[in-house]
Amino acid sequence: MKYMKLGSKPDVFQTEGNNIRFVATELATDIVITVGDVKFYLHKFPLLSKGSRLQTLVASTNEESNDEIDISDIPGGPAAFEICAKFCYGMIVTLNAYNVLAARCAAEYLEMFETIDKGNLIYKIDVFLSSSIFRTWKDSIIVLQTTKSLLPWSENLKVINHCVDSIASKASIDPSEVEWSYTYNRRKLPSENGLDSHWNGVRKQQMVPRDWWVEDLCDLEMCLYKRVILAIKAKGRISSEVIGEALRAYAHRRLFSSLDSAVSNGLDCTRHCAALETIICLLPSEEGSVPCSFLLKLLRAACLLGSDEAYRDNLTKRIGAKLDEALVSDLLIPANSDDNAMYNVDMISTMLEEYMARHCDDDTAKLQEDDQEAMDGDNLANESISSKLAIAKLVDGYLAEIAKDPNLPLSKFIALAEMVPPVCRPVHDRLYRAIDMYLKEHPGLSKGEKKRLCGLMDCKKLSPEASMHAVQNERLPLRVVVQVLFFEQVRTSASAATAAAGGDVAAGGDIPARSLLPREDGNSYGSSRSAATTTTEDDQWACGVPTSSDVNSFRSMSLANKNGGCSGRSSGDTGSNKNGGGGSEAKKPPSAKGSTGLMPKKILSKLWSGKASSGENSSSDTSESPGSVNLEETRSTPSRNTRHSVS
């Protein structure tokens, strides 16, 4: 820190009590100057020789035969006046960044100009400011902090402008040219500890980060901070990313750290509102200049503080443009106080709409194309596709969190889930988890509501682990469990068939898994998205409502295949190896007598067409997606009770 010493005489100012200051000399004092609650007993001659205002005041008091003058309105108060008085007496006084501005304003008040005396206090302070203070990074910040208590004097004297310009100029220089201590709390450089390393006698230069100035400016009040940031922007030499980092650091220091406690305790949040709105206005407009997580924190603060809707809309649009960068925890924005729900789902839906409008119209079509070669050659396309997959993962994670809210309407849950294009969800594990969580927290759903909810999920897109969980999940409708079991059986059978027919596959005879599914008609293979069941299908798949033993047999078979593969083929392989004839036995197709890769036709027919015998419309039952099955089928009590007992 820079400082300047003035005067040469010893300091003989003394204190009596808390509010009396006097000069200890042989000469009796002849004037009393009152500053606030402090009285200064001084001599007229040294004071009048330096300040014209005191000359005028003393002249007026002589006419009234009064030796006491009140200048309680002097900027800087008693401390600043004492510096000016000591200068008049020629006593030693030290000026630094903490007191120089107060002394300068007080000298201006006392009119201590060069016209009164050469080398007067105003001149000396101005030289000190321009030659030392404004050339120093830390001192400029300190002086700028002191200007708030000295308004409007500091503004009229242009000290604020000088400080702001000095700080902005230093923050805008190339980091390689920064030579001073560039942060208050930084670790010492190796050279400062005497541990500087050398290579061939050449000192290694310490790298200064681009945002070296960010933390230091967090000490400024918002009004001053805003002026500095605007000045830095006007210089045009600092990147928008560094500006964004500066605003993020300031928000964490001055806004987020005390916001929750202030709101919860019902304190006046006017200062927080002003800080928030100023930060939002200062945000750079360039893409990628501000992290999405920071924008979401600002939006959460805006909701807590009840900021103007224009600020929230601005943040919502900016977040929507880069929503794929967000985290689930950042999206958990509390709902309005007049809403029974825990989270503001509507706001997240607006963000998702903004993202889809900007990114997903063309990219979804790219995802649906099978031209993998073209996609591999386009890095931008790959990045875009990755962002869509990230959006699906983010939304499914968010759904799992908001599903815990007992007051969340099913319509909002479904609407948000359906906003993600199906092609962006190659795997439905996370969506299944969210659905299961909603079922757990909302046990009072009707059968129709469960059908709508489970209709979001495609059973074919569940991983083996998720399928295993779904098979044992009592909260899922029975029809959904049956479909999960079926597709898991198809997957296991297809894998076994492919392994057994390895030679045929190598020759080009691949066996697709969907060929194992029941046909819709004679021309194409069906899935659970089958059309109306025909009489031919009813004849092919024997009718009958599945019993609890059928379901348990089906489930046990699927789990057995999952855990140990086809037991019949395994034992056959073992036997053939012992007898030395394993080669021919290993090539048996999974439909061989000893294989359990495919489910028994009788059980499958009952499970697949159980609705036909229950008297319900099989057309509506089988025209839905694999997850969108009719949940209103007839369920026997033993079947529901045995869904825990999975072997």
Side-chain angles (χ1 to χ4, degrees), residues 11 46 133 137 143 146 280 416 432 445 478 511 555 580 642:
D11 183 358
I133 295 297
W137 168 255
V143 171
T146 64
I280 295 175
L416 186 60
Y432 162 65
L445 291 179
L478 179 60
I511 302 177
R555 181 185 290 112
T642 57

Side-chain angles (χ1 to χ4, degrees), residues 199-405:
W199 183 75
N200 289 342
V202 179
R203 176 175 296 180
K204 294 182 180 179
Q205 185 176 3
Q206 181 74 16
M207 296 299 295
V208 176
R210 293 188 305 164
D211 58 349
W212 61 267
W213 50 271
V214 166
E215 292 292 337
D216 291 346
L217 296 189
C218 291
D219 295 331
L220 296 175
E221 293 292 332
M222 175 50 73
C223 57
L224 299 174
Y225 183 82
K226 178 181 179 180
R227 296 179 66 164
V228 172
I229 294 298
L230 290 176
I232 292 175
K233 283 185 173 183
K235 300 287 183 183
R237 297 195 290 269
I238 295 295
S239 66
S240 59
E241 290 81 4
V242 178
I243 297 292
E245 174 60 22
L247 294 172
R248 188 196 64 81
Y250 190 87
H252 279 276
R253 174 86 70 85
R254 313 285 293 198
L255 177 63
F256 299 149
S257 60
S258 58
L259 176 61
D260 290 335
S261 61
V263 173
S264 59
N265 294 329
L267 302 179
D268 184 13
C269 295
T270 304
R271 180 177 63 86
H272 292 85
C273 286
L276 172 65
E277 294 173 0
T278 302
I279 290 172
I280 295 175
C281 293
L282 292 175
L283 290 174
S285 58
E286 293 80 1
E287 288 289 337
S289 58
V290 182
C292 185
S293 59
F294 175 47
L295 294 175
L296 282 163
K297 286 183 174 63
L298 290 176
L299 181 59
R300 179 180 179 275
C303 293
L304 287 175
L305 295 171
S307 298
D308 190 85
E309 188 175 352
Y311 293 102
R312 285 179 283 175
D313 291 343
N314 179 23
L315 290 173
T316 301
K317 290 183 179 180
R318 296 193 60 158
I319 295 168
K322 54 197 312 182
L323 187 60
D324 55 309
E325 301 176 10
L327 299 176
V328 173
S329 57
D330 296 330
L331 298 181
L332 300 178
I333 301 174
N336 298 327
S337 57
D338 56 348
D339 196 345
N340 293 328
M342 294 172 57
Y343 304 111
N344 197 330
V345 181
D346 294 334
M347 185 172 289
I348 305 303
S349 298
T350 303
M351 296 177 194
L352 190 56
E353 288 177 0
E354 179 72 18
Y355 180 87
M356 294 300 175
R358 292 196 180 198
H359 299 280
C360 280
D361 292 341
D362 299 329
D363 298 332
T364 302
K366 290 180 182 179
L367 276 170
Q368 294 172 331
E369 294 176 356
D370 293 329
D371 191 357
Q372 188 64 38
E373 181 179 353
M375 291 172 59
D376 291 340
D378 189 351
N379 291 332
L380 292 178
N382 288 336
E383 292 178 3
S384 180
I385 291 170
S386 299
S387 69
K388 305 310 169 299
L389 299 178
I391 276 291
K393 178 180 178 181
L394 175 69
V395 172
D396 291 347
Y398 179 72
L399 288 171
E401 291 298 324
I402 64 175
K404 302 173 185 177
D405 180 6

Side-chain angles (χ1 to χ4, degrees), residues 471-530:
V471 166
Q472 305 172 73
N473 191 346
E474 189 181 78
R475 288 185 288 272
L476 291 178
L478 179 60
R479 183 70 173 179
V480 176
V481 176
V482 169
Q483 291 190 5
V484 172
L485 284 167
F486 175 77
F487 288 117
E488 194 59 24
Q489 183 75 2
V490 168
R491 178 163 27 196
T492 303
S493 301
S495 176
T498 302
D504 295 337
V505 172
D510 190 14
I511 302 177
R514 68 183 304 218
S515 66
L516 299 173
L517 295 175
R519 293 176 180 269
E520 283 186 9
D521 49 40
N523 298 322
S524 62
Y525 290 98
S527 65
S528 58
R529 298 180 185 271
S530 58

Side-chain angles (χ1 to χ4, degrees), residues 135-185:
R135 293 176 179 267
T136 307
W137 168 255
K138 291 183 178 179
D139 289 347
S140 297
I141 294 177
I142 294 172
V143 171
L144 184 59
Q145 288 177 289
T146 64
T147 59
K148 184 178 180 180
S149 61
L150 296 168
L151 292 172
W153 290 89
S154 56
E155 189 73 70
N156 296 334
L157 295 175
K158 309 298 182 183
V159 176
I160 295 180
N161 291 341
H162 286 302
C163 288
V164 168
D165 185 69
S166 172
I167 294 170
S169 298
K170 290 175 175 58
S172 300
I173 68 174
D174 192 288
S176 62
E177 300 178 9
V178 177
E179 297 179 353
W180 56 83
S181 177
Y182 52 84
T183 177
Y184 289 133
N185 300 317

Side-chain angles (χ1 to χ4, degrees), residues 4 93 101 124 136 334 343 346 386 389 400 425 430 505 549 597:
M4 179 176 69
V93 60
L101 183 57
K124 291 184 179 295
T136 307
Y343 304 111
D346 294 334
S386 299
L389 299 178
R425 285 193 182 103
R430 293 186 179 87
V505 172
S549 60

Side-chain angles (χ1 to χ4, degrees), residues 601-617:
K601 182 177 179 180
K602 181 179 179 181
I603 298 178
L604 174 59
S605 64
K606 289 185 178 182
L607 293 172
W608 192 259
S609 58
K611 292 293 291 181
S613 63
S614 63
E616 295 181 7
N617 190 335

